[in-house]
Every structure is written in structure tokens, then in C-alpha cells.
Amino acid sequence: MADKIEHLLEDLETFPPSDDFTSSSPVPADLMARAEEDRLGFWADQARELHWSTPFTEVLDWSDAPFAKWFGDGTLNASYNCVDRHVLAGNGDRVAIYWEGEPGDKRTITYSDLLGEVKRAANLLESLGVAAGDVVAIYMPMIPETVVAMLACARIGAVHSVIFGGFSADSIRSRVEDANAKLVITSDGSIRKGRIFPLKETVDAALEADGHTVEHVLVVRRADNEVSLTPGRDLWWDEEIAQVGDEHVAKPFPAEHPLFILYTSGTTGKPKGLLHTTGGYLTQTSFTHRTIFDLKPEQDVYWCSADVGWVTGHSYFVYGPLANGSTQVMYEGTHDTPDLGRWFDIIQRYGVTIFYTAPTAIRGYMKSGRQIPAKYDLSSIRLLGSVGEPINPEAWAWYREVIGGNRVPVVDTWWQTETGAIMISAIPSQVALKPGAAQVPVPGVVVEVVDDQGERVNPGEMGLLTITEPWPSMARGIYGDRERFIETYWSQFPGRYFAGDGAGVDKDGHLWLLGRVDDVMNVSGHRLSTTEIESALVDHPFVAESAVVGASDETTGQAVVAFVVLKESKKAEIEASDAPQVLRSHVSTKIGAIARPRQVYVVAELPKTRSGKIMRRLLRDVADGKAVGDTTTLTDASVMSAISAGVASGT
Ligand code: 6R9
């Protein structure tokens, strides 16, 4: 590797915090120094900001590395920390969630309201026989009951597995089966882009075949679409919850008690269920949330636009903000319904002060033009955040200028489902910001950018991002597969976590994240596996072979582009149909709409090396419309000319 990136050695323009911002910041000025002086003591201090039923005496046990135990002999309850604690401290009247449905319906939920709902939901789950350690799958839209369901699981020690509401029946099925889920919580439908998506129907399809462990399906009413209930299995949430008591005492669980499983795409076909536990996860999500976002819980209105189906929704919509007693916005629908001003209208009406979103959204707005945000009063905003993929300096500058009125800090936060919480980001009250760089590890996190041999790279060079010391919110494994966790993340550089991302280091030692170096694509900030989509394609009767690449895309960062070789034996059927169209919707049905290829190219052959490996690199060049790179290792170089010619002519 060790490629030079010249501009990282130059003096770049930086944006220091204003005196005002720094002087009014609640973030202690000595955090970095404290973490450097005593890393474990620093994390223990952060953990003590939570409510522990039994205080811990041990900070880190790394004897079974890479399976960490943090605060192992302490006990706590995540739901108590996110809700009860604030009510008991006299903040029950503080708004926890300003919810807005896509059609415009609204609910304001205080911490007291939330506590009442979580208690009843916990009673409901217990009445259905759900106990500590059981897995509950949650397939829901962005409505308050989703948060209530997650916190109710945490309250009784059940492990939630949230499945993004855009995923297909097959994806639900494989996740429910992998984790032996006992209960599924869903809604009749979800409302997006003015349409109703029948979530319950999708759950029915997922559970149609026998061989799963689901005993009940709880259905929340949201879209009022028709659903069919399977007697004995399916129950309406509202009818059941009306019958349970409204008192529920949260029991403490050990710090290492599992909190949730969340599936994410890796380099292989099968999504991995990352397991997160309670004490360390809650410590680092709440610490980073209040530090990176400079949180003033009694004043700020915080909004993270991520769906709860992704890790950002878990850590920076549910657990981090609620553990900190924040007031936040929850919005059900899409940003362009009824028009492209929707998000800005929400910011203006609720007086959002901290806004956290993804570069893909920012680039989308750059395309549609600054006249749209200009129609709204966005002066309440005092801090902006970005997550999900590298933010290019142009998008950073636009975000700061157009949304942040040229005056507010923009923090770029790097982290992953596996890391549980933010790992690299400037603390905006303390570090001068550099457009396009995530910059520095958060206090208490230790990273190193290395070459293929594991040697630290010099400033101006690019290498691979590794994390050299355990951190509190790290995943505790892949659910049910100990070996795969070790093999996937800890074997390339023994003793270190390898993130799968490339990074450069600049002359100040700051980090510039450069995207994935493996077969994971990043489409609109969502992780997709090339292998998983290839498997979905070859699952279709037309397809003999497929190769999928992430092509560059101006708005979504990357886009899925597929190359397929079709079966001779199906010639007649293929000719009678629009094969690329058929295959695009097939992927959508198998995985979900986010995985639908932007293009499917039918080719006669795939380019392969003599050892039979598909040369995706060359296909990526074609998909990007670039000159095709070195083809000398191919068995037959003419394959590439035929593909390039075909793509150029649009066939
Ligand atoms: C939180 C989240 C993780 C992958 C990660 C990296 C990319 C996320 C980034 C970023 C550059 C940032 N990524 N944040 N790349 N700068 N600020 O997105 O988790 O869905 O697991 O994706 O996203 O490539 O490896 P997840």
C-alpha cells in the first residue's frame, strides 16, 4: 500500500471553535489529558456517570481476548438508565421525543410518558413468556413504539434484534432463524413517500415455512392497512398492553449481559449478527454523545436522522441520547415528502440545535440546490454531525455554510456496527476542524494506521486502520460464531482489530478515512456485501454467474452495479423478458430495495485470473466509465474489451 497523498502534507484551512462555543461548552477541557494519563481510569469515570445497582470494581478483563469484559462485576439496567433515572431526578416533564409522522401527525412524549409506556410493554413481554436472554426481533417503522419495544426488552434482559424495515421476508427469516427469536414485534404497515408498506405481511411471508422458533407476533397499529392475524400466534399490541399492569421494577443485570444483536454485511454472503452488551456499550455511547455533540440536555433539541434499523439509530437515537436525558426529534418518513423542504421544516419547527446525518443526504441536497434550505429559518442549529461514509470536503463546506449558516462546527464521526460507538472524531469545543477528515480518536481510544506488514505508516501515506487497545462499546462477538469473530477482525494483524477501512495520516497525525478496502460496498451510508448480492443473483434461474461491484456515484457514494452471465438453457425465457429488470427486482425481493442494482449488465463471460478469481477491479473501472486497468493477469484479455464495448453501447 503506502501510497502518498500529497495534500495531507500541506497546510490545509482549519476551522477552530469560536470563543463563544468553547466558553459555553459543558465538555471538560482536560478529557484528552486524563485519558492519556490513565486510560482505564478514564473509562471507569465515564462508566460512573451511569446508574449502577452494584458498582463495579474491575474495569477491563482482556484475558479472553478478543472477547472483552468491561466493568464485569457491576450490575445495571439499560432501560432504568435511559428512562427511570431521569424521572427520579425530577426531569419527568422534559420531552424525550418529539415524534412526527410522515402524514403530519405528531406526538410529544415526556420522560414520564416514556417510563409509563416502557413499564407496560415490559409487563406485556413478560406476560408472553419472554425472559432474560430470549431474543426478540423488531421489524418496525420509525414510531415511538419501536423505542418502547427496545427499552422494554432491555428492561427485562431480553436481547433485541432490530431488522431494518426495508429488508425483505428472506432477510427477516434468516435473522430470526440465526438468533432463534421467540417473539417478533412489527406493525401493520409503515408510511413512507405517502405509501403504505405492509410490514406485517412481510413478517407473515418470513414465518410461513415451519422450522422457526417464533411463538408470537405482536402487531402495533400504525398504517391501518388490512392484516391477517394467525390465531394463537398474532396479537395486537394495543389490545394486549391495555390488559397489563402499569408498574414494573427494572431488575439489574450484569454489565456483560447481552443488550442487542444487529446484523451487518461483511465480505461473505451471510450477514453477521454483532453482539453488544450493556455496561460498556452504554458507557461509550453516552460519553461520545455528550462529548462529540457538546450536549446541554436541558437546552438542546437533538436530531439524528438515521433509522433505528441501523447502528446509528441504536447508539445515537436510542441509547446514547436517552441515557443522557436528551430531548430529541423522531421522524417517520422520507426527506422528500411532501417536498424536499421536509427536513428543514422539521428543524425550524422544533428548533433543532444539533443535527446528525449522512453525507449522502448532504450531497443529495447539494444537487437539488441551496434555495430549498434557504426558505427556512435554520438559526437554531449550533452543531452539525456526519456519519456513514467519508464526507468529501465540498460536502463538508456546503453543510457548514448552507445548513450551519457559516458559523457552526461540523464533526465527522467515524465508527462501525462493530465498534458500537464513535471512535474517531474531533471534540468540537477543543479541536480545530478540517473539512473531510474525522481527525482524532476519541479520548480513551487508541488507533494506528499501518501498512500490509503491520508497520505504522508515515504522514502523507495511506494504510489500513487498526485499533490497538480494547474499548468499552466493542462488539463482544458474532452471535453464535466465536471463530468467525476472531477470523474476521483479529487475524490479519494479531492482537489488533482491523476495521476493513483504509486511512491516511496527515502531517499533524490526523486521520483521513478513505473507505473500505474489502468487498463491502457503502451505498448511501449503508453497508452492502458484494458477495451477498452475487448470491442473490445466482439464486435466480436465469443466472449462471455474477460479479457485483460498487461503482462511484455522485449522490449515494457508491452504487451497486452487477455483471451477469446468463444460462444458455433458459434462452427462450430470457429472450421473452427484460432480464436486467427482472434481476434488479429479484435482488430487491431477496435482500431489500437498498440492494437493488443501479445497473445489471449481461455479459458473455466474466474477467478471471488464471487461478479463477473474478477481477472485480476491472469491472469497477468499466462501471465507473474509466479506462480499464492492467489486464495482463487475465486468462483472456478479449473478455474485457467485449465487456467495455457492450457497456459503452448500453447493451
Ligand atoms: C456508523 C456506521 C461502517 C463503515 C465503516 C466505514 C464507513 C462510517 C464513516 C465512514 C468514513 C466516516 N464509515 N462512518 N467512513 N468516514 N465518518 O456507519 O456503521 O453501517 O457498520 O458502517 O462505514 O467504511 O467501516 P456501519
Side-chain angles (χ1 to χ4, degrees), residues 264 310-312 386-391 412-418 438 499-501 513-516 522 525-527:
T264 189
W310 309 108
V311 75
T312 306
S386 169
V387 61
E389 52 179 319
I391 177 162
D412 176 18
T413 63
W414 179 90
W415 59 292
Q416 306 176 296
T417 306
E418 292 84 343
D501 279 39
L513 275 304
L514 302 168
R516 305 288 306 192
N522 191 326
H526 299 318
R527 272 163 73 166

Side-chain angles (χ1 to χ4, degrees), residues 21 24-26 293-301 354 382:
F21 192 88
S24 64
S25 171
F293 298 120
D294 198 68
L295 187 74
K296 300 171 185 166
E298 51 305 311
Q299 295 163 28
D300 280 315
V301 178
I354 304 169
R382 67 178 194 91

Side-chain angles (χ1 to χ4, degrees), residues 296-529:
K296 300 171 185 166
E298 51 305 311
Q299 295 163 28
D300 280 315
V301 178
Y302 164 85
W303 184 20
C304 163
S305 72
D307 190 281
V308 69
W310 309 108
V311 75
T312 306
H314 282 59
S315 302
Y316 296 102
F317 166 59
V318 179
Y319 290 106
L322 294 178
N324 287 332
S326 321
T327 294
Q328 54 178 339
V329 170
M330 178 181 201
Y331 170 56
E332 174 185 43
T334 58
H335 71 290
D336 54 356
T337 309
D339 56 51
L340 278 164
R342 185 63 183 265
W343 276 11
F344 308 117
D345 180 41
I346 291 175
I347 292 175
Q348 171 179 298
R349 270 186 296 112
Y350 295 98
V352 170
T353 58
I354 304 169
F355 183 53
Y356 192 31
T357 194
T360 184
I362 301 163
R363 290 192 301 261
Y365 282 123
M366 284 171 78
K367 239 170 142 181
S368 49
R370 62 177 67 208
Q371 69 283 0
I372 297 170
K375 284 192 237 151
Y376 299 85
D377 176 6
L378 306 179
S379 62
S380 56
I381 289 180
R382 67 178 194 91
L383 180 65
L384 294 169
S386 169
V387 61
E389 52 179 319
I391 177 162
N392 40 313
E394 300 71 34
W396 190 97
W398 191 93
Y399 194 26
R400 181 175 180 279
E401 184 191 331
V402 180
I403 312 300
N406 241 339
R407 58 191 166 82
V408 314
V410 176
V411 285
D412 176 18
T413 63
W414 179 90
W415 59 292
Q416 306 176 296
T417 306
E418 292 84 343
T419 70
I422 297 173
M423 300 293 278
I424 304 176
S425 168
I427 297 177
S429 53
Q430 300 177 7
V431 178
L433 299 167
K434 286 181 192 166
Q439 297 186 278
V440 283
V442 306
V445 168
V446 191
V447 310
E448 196 171 57
V449 180
V450 298
D451 63 18
D452 293 341
Q453 308 306 312
E455 297 297 324
R456 183 201 289 255
V457 304
N458 295 314
E461 289 175 356
M462 78 173 262
L464 305 171
L465 180 68
T466 65
I467 305 170
T468 61
E469 299 290 342
W471 62 101
S473 62
M474 67 198 294
R476 301 301 198 261
I478 294 173
Y479 192 73
D481 200 342
R482 219 182 132 83
E483 278 314 304
R484 193 171 169 204
F485 184 65
I486 303 173
E487 163 68 30
T488 312
Y489 304 108
W490 302 87
S491 59
Q492 183 151 353
F493 303 106
R496 289 159 180 253
Y497 173 85
F498 172 49
D501 279 39
V505 183
D506 70 17
K507 66 179 187 31
D508 305 318
H510 286 193
L511 300 154
W512 294 69
L513 275 304
L514 302 168
R516 305 288 306 192
V517 295
D518 53 17
D519 288 336
V520 175
M521 289 174 284
N522 191 326
V523 178
S524 295
H526 299 318
R527 272 163 73 166
L528 296 171
S529 145

Side-chain angles (χ1 to χ4, degrees), residues 536-579:
L537 284 164
V538 291
D539 166 80
H540 192 277
F542 287 180
V543 180
E545 244 191 315
S546 75
V548 165
V549 298
S552 312
D553 187 284
E554 217 180 283
T555 309
T556 59
Q558 285 188 309
V560 180
V561 174
F563 295 83
V564 292
V565 179
L566 299 180
K567 285 183 190 154
E568 268 302 304
S569 58
K570 299 278 173 191
K571 208 166 172 201
E573 287 163 69
I574 292 169
E575 277 171 4
S577 69
D578 179 353

